[in-house]
Amino acid sequence: MTSTKDEAGPRLARRRVLQGLAGAAAMTVLPGALRAQAAGKEAPALAKLVGEGKLAALAQRLPEKPMVVTPFEKVGVYGGSLRRGLRGSADHNGILRMVGNQGLVRWNLQFTEPLPNVAERWEVNADSTEFTFFLRKGMKWSDGKPFTADDIVFAVEDCAKNSELYKSVPSPLVIAGKAGTATKVDETTVKFTFASPYALFLDLMATPLGQHPTLFPKHYCGQFHPKYNPAVADLVKQANVSDWGALFRIKCGDIEIPSRWGNPDKPTIDPWVVKEPYTGGATRVTMERNPYFWQVDTEGNQLPYIDRISFSISQDVESLMLDAVSGRLDIQDRHIDTLQNKPTLSQNMKKGGYRLVELIASSSQQCQIYFNITHKDPKMREMLGNKEFRQALSLGMDRKEIIDIVYLGQSEPYQAGPRPGHPWFNEKLGRQYTEFDKAKANAMLDKLGYNKKDAQGMRLRPDGQKVFFAIDVIPTLYPDLVDVLELVKRHWADIGVDMKVNTIERALYYTRGDNNDHDAAVWPGPGGLDPMLDPRDYFAQHPQGSRYAVPWTLWYVSGGKDGQEPPDGQKQRMKLFDDARATSDLKKRGEIMKQVFDLAADAFETMGVCLAVNNFGVVKTNLKNVPEKYPNAWTWPNPGPALPQQFYFTT
């Protein structure tokens, strides 16, 4: 059967929460007459190159059936440079969210169903073990070379499944512990086959982590792969790197690393291509329109409308705020979207020539605390791994004060799990131990054996060491979380627990977590509207995100080959989630996930502060086709699914 329709259940929940999103940039069928007219409908700078014989005619650059985008408001005009801000040297996902959303499928604006994208259509067999994607005939990479099924097979079979490039196969390509297989049917048809039913595959292909199949052009990246270049060792030596895998990363990048945007020579299928790369010491990244981009509007005009994007790189949030209120950023939410900044940005809208757009919270949590219950130090592991210790700390936290001071009263105490109103909302997982009860917290800590104190009133462990841990936080990315932790530090000091707010740079945050060197870490809790797409808080699933037990995640994603074997409760949830991913029946899937949530609630591995609140962004008043309201999610990597290629400037 041909399947392009959404399922119910969680998607219906997202639809209800996001109701009121008017209009959508959508895929339609381009009539033959419009295709015939398309030859002259391109940016003036490209038309000039065609006239000079330096570029092929538009009809030769577009696929036979380009993807047709219905503009959000109206057909745009060509021209202009869009300005956006990055923060430091590890803000690569700020580029991905704006530019890099060209997977086989994509999300619609309402975050309710996958739509055709690189694949113009697909077929799914009855038990969801085979997915056949039909590509766009005549589609090209940014250097004019054909984009075909060979590229997808190369990206999956030779790259994503290569153990010298990836310790384990990326999780969207794996179900029930076994990786799927990508096979070429013909030049424009590729089939993915799985050993077990995989009902969630299309949804995952619409997320950023589902982009591997379209990421690596075989004709370019093959030269850095020993299977296709026997002399790759010479290139490794010339580049002075350790092995071909390191060279491949430098030249071809990966989904979530800076080098994805660090090589202007690498062909892409994005709307804009890198001109000034994202490399160490760079003060900006610039990108210019892709002359071979494979999308057009409803009048046959090749997209994107905007000529170029300039990402300025700031070293602090204050600089980004100054650029925003001064009107030097055309669209920005990342790093400036805290509630504390909203009054300032609201007051300066006229001066800066911008408007505010609403970003609908898809996360469950503003601040999730991940205690490292797999800590390398046995004594720390014993303390942080004790469920009653974590419960006592949760009771010792005054969430109302945090909400009133940091979030201006616009939230409610919350732990984890699907958001209230979602059909899978789990009361225990979301609400347990959120009351402020200092007396009970003290009694629990006394009972655990932490009843002796030092001269400063801080509790001591049975071995005489102070009850102490540090919590890692990235101030440049989430300054509100620093404010939260400063209040939590005071709350916990009142019950005799000493905590350090460990503010560090983003790259170090990841390194410490990846190496299992942290005591604890914070991050906004995911999975509020998309619990199937981002379940990192319900079991140890995400190698970078499940910070409470990174070794367990490595065990899970590697099929037991790496990391540490988790306890039975974790393994049970891993198995249940894999069963849920394979289940097409939404009622049955919900029943399975309820078991996951119940087990997660009983384990109480992570600790939340308060429910995530809607955020906002600034958009220049002359930047058009930008929705006034859209989701704020990693799995819907805003603003990308709103299709920035159809944004345009008025004069």
Side-chain angles (χ1 to χ4, degrees):
M1 67 175 183
T2 301
S3 174
T4 58
K5 295 182 179 180
D6 67 308
E7 300 167 350
R11 291 186 189 153
L12 287 177
R14 291 196 295 260
R15 186 179 293 116
R16 283 197 295 271
V17 174
L18 298 174
Q19 63 185 354
L21 288 177
M27 198 284 294
T28 60
V29 177
L30 183 66
L34 285 181
R35 289 204 302 274
Q37 296 171 13
K41 296 192 173 184
E42 60 188 322
L46 298 184
K48 183 174 183 292
L49 293 175
V50 173
E52 294 171 349
K54 298 177 181 177
L55 184 66
L58 179 59
Q60 298 170 11
R61 304 197 314 266
L62 288 174
E64 288 185 8
K65 294 181 181 179
M67 180 175 131
V68 184
V69 174
T70 301
F72 181 72
E73 297 167 318
K74 61 191 295 186
V75 170
V77 296
Y78 289 118
S81 179
L82 185 145
R83 299 163 299 175
R84 186 169 168 86
L86 301 176
R87 174 66 182 85
S89 60
D91 199 14
H92 40 277
N93 284 346
I95 306 175
L96 180 155
R97 286 174 175 267
M98 190 72 190
V99 175
N101 293 277
Q102 321 316 316
L104 288 168
V105 299
R106 64 183 175 91
W107 285 116
N108 65 351
L109 184 61
Q110 292 85 0
F111 198 10
T112 56
E113 107 181 89
L115 297 177
N117 200 47
V118 171
E120 62 178 349
R121 63 186 180 92
W122 59 82
E123 293 177 356
V124 185
N125 69 349
D127 65 354
S128 297
T129 57
E130 292 184 357
F131 298 79
T132 304
F133 294 95
F134 300 89
L135 309 178
R136 301 177 187 279
K137 188 174 182 180
M139 182 173 160
K140 295 177 173 64
W141 293 93
S142 57
D143 61 355
K145 301 294 184 182
F147 178 93
T148 71
D150 289 325
D151 293 300
I152 294 175
V153 173
F154 169 76
V156 174
E157 298 298 321
D158 294 323
C159 299
K161 293 169 66 175
N162 190 303
S163 60
E164 294 182 73
L165 277 178
Y166 295 88
K167 276 190 172 182
S168 55
V169 180
S171 60
L173 299 172
V174 179
I175 185 70
K178 295 183 179 179
T181 300
T183 55
K184 175 182 177 180
V185 178
D186 58 39
E187 286 298 304
T188 56
T189 311
V190 63
K191 179 184 288 188
F192 284 76
T193 305
F194 296 93
S196 304
Y198 197 174
L200 205 65
F201 183 60
L202 289 173
D203 283 23
L204 289 167
M205 287 296 99
T207 71
L209 297 183
Q211 293 175 8
H212 279 112
T214 59
L215 193 61
F216 302 126
K218 181 179 180 180
H219 71 277
Y220 179 80
C221 295
Q223 67 183 304
F224 310 112
H225 197 298
K227 179 177 177 180
Y228 299 95
N229 181 8
V232 72
D234 295 336
L235 298 179
V236 170
K237 186 176 181 180
Q238 292 170 21
N240 194 28
V241 293
S242 58
D243 51 46
W244 75 267
L247 178 65
F248 189 96
R249 296 272 189 217
I250 293 169
K251 296 295 186 179
C252 294
D254 198 359
I255 292 173
E256 284 194 272
I257 60 177
S259 62
R260 176 174 180 177
W261 315 103
N263 179 12
D265 294 332
K266 182 204 167 190
T268 78
I269 52 173
D270 297 329
W272 298 272
V273 297
V274 172
K275 292 299 178 183
E276 291 182 85
Y278 194 32
T279 55
T283 57
R284 71 173 182 174
V285 178
T286 61
M287 309 183 79
E288 295 183 1
R289 69 167 65 254
N290 174 2
Y292 292 90
F293 192 56
W294 41 280
Q295 298 177 14
V296 299
D297 67 17
T298 47
E299 293 186 1
N301 300 299
Q302 186 190 28
L303 298 174
Y305 293 131
I306 291 172
D307 291 333
R308 64 189 64 84
I309 300 181
S310 179
F311 296 91
S312 58
I313 301 175
S314 299
Q315 295 308 311
D316 52 62
V317 175
E318 290 75 15
S319 297
L320 283 171
M321 277 290 290
L322 183 60
D323 284 345
V325 299
S326 302
R328 293 194 292 267
L329 297 175
D330 294 302
I331 180 169
Q332 188 77 26
D333 53 77
R334 195 168 171 86
H335 308 302
I336 66 169
D337 59 348
T338 63
L339 289 176
Q340 290 84 349
N341 287 338
K342 193 170 185 179
T344 299
L345 291 168
S346 297
Q347 293 162 11
N348 285 278
M349 286 194 294
K350 186 174 180 180
K351 172 188 172 184
Y354 57 81
R355 62 190 185 277
L356 298 186
V357 296
E358 184 177 3
L359 306 183
I360 300 168
S362 67
S363 299
S364 62
Q365 251 311 322
Q366 281 294 133
C367 177
Q368 196 79 8
I369 301 175
Y370 300 93
F371 294 104
N372 184 3
I373 59 182
T374 60
H375 203 288
K376 291 177 178 177
D377 182 324
K379 295 293 184 181
M380 289 291 288
R381 186 166 64 247
E382 179 183 2
M383 181 176 72
L384 300 176
N386 189 307
K387 179 171 67 173
E388 292 183 353
F389 178 75
R390 299 191 299 272
Q391 291 168 345
L393 292 183
S394 186
L395 291 170
M397 184 191 304
D398 187 348
R399 290 173 171 81
K400 184 179 185 304
E401 182 182 49
I402 294 169
I403 292 168
D404 288 344
I405 293 176
V406 181
Y407 299 113
L408 310 181
Q410 298 183 39
S411 187
E412 59 186 90
Y414 205 69
Q415 291 286 8
R419 294 176 67 90
H422 191 286
W424 292 353
F425 170 68
N426 186 291
E427 179 76 25
K428 181 179 180 182
L429 183 61
R431 308 288 191 191
Q432 64 178 337
Y433 304 106
T434 55
E435 67 272 22
F436 179 43
D437 192 334
K438 189 161 68 170
K440 188 174 180 180
N442 275 316
M444 292 178 69
L445 291 171
D446 287 344
K447 186 178 178 181
L448 288 171
Y450 305 123
N451 50 357
K452 294 182 180 179
K453 297 182 179 180
D454 64 14
Q456 287 73 43
M458 293 295 114
R459 294 178 181 272
L460 300 175
R461 300 184 330 208
D463 63 359
Q465 295 297 310
K466 187 162 60 173
V467 174
F468 169 82
F469 49 83
I471 301 183
D472 293 354
V473 59
I474 309 170
T476 55
L477 189 60
Y478 297 115
D480 61 308
L481 302 193
V482 178
D483 297 335
V484 168
L485 290 179
E486 291 293 350
L487 289 172
V488 172
K489 175 182 174 67
R490 178 162 56 80
H491 300 159
W492 287 347
D494 286 345
I495 59 173
V497 173
D498 192 15
M499 180 264 280
K500 175 186 177 182
V501 181
N502 192 31
T503 55
I504 55 177
E505 196 268 333
R506 187 171 185 173
L508 180 58
Y509 177 95
Y510 282 127
T511 299
R512 281 172 56 79
D514 293 345
N515 294 335
N516 201 33
D517 287 335
H518 61 303
D519 297 339
V522 290
W523 199 263
L529 291 183
D530 52 354
M532 291 300 299
L533 299 181
D534 200 345
R536 68 180 77 176
D537 285 0
Y538 314 133
F539 68 101
Q541 173 262 349
H542 192 291
Q544 290 188 325
S546 298
R547 293 279 161 176
Y548 66 91
V550 171
W552 295 351
T553 71
L554 297 176
W555 186 91
Y556 173 67
V557 300
S558 68
K561 297 175 183 176
D562 296 319
Q564 296 175 13
E565 183 174 356
D568 290 342
Q570 277 279 333
K571 289 192 284 188
Q572 186 178 358
R573 276 174 273 164
M574 292 169 179
K575 173 63 167 60
L576 285 167
F577 181 75
D578 285 342
D579 291 345
R581 286 203 299 167
T583 302
S584 298
D585 185 306
L586 265 295
K587 182 179 179 181
K588 291 181 180 178
R589 186 187 292 176
E591 292 169 353
I592 296 171
M593 288 303 294
K594 182 182 185 302
Q595 297 179 62
V596 174
F597 300 141
D598 287 344
L599 288 166
D602 289 340
F604 195 70
E605 291 145 336
T606 73
M607 183 186 305
V609 176
C610 61
L611 193 68
V613 298
N614 285 2
N615 279 355
F616 60 92
V618 300
V619 177
K620 290 286 283 187
T621 53
N622 68 332
L623 182 61
K624 303 300 183 181
N625 281 347
V626 183
E628 296 303 309
K629 180 188 298 187
Y630 51 81
N632 183 19
W634 166 239
T635 47
W636 196 98
N638 54 290
L643 305 184
Q645 54 267 37
Q646 54 94 43
F647 297 172
Y648 74 97
F649 289 107
T650 57
T651 53

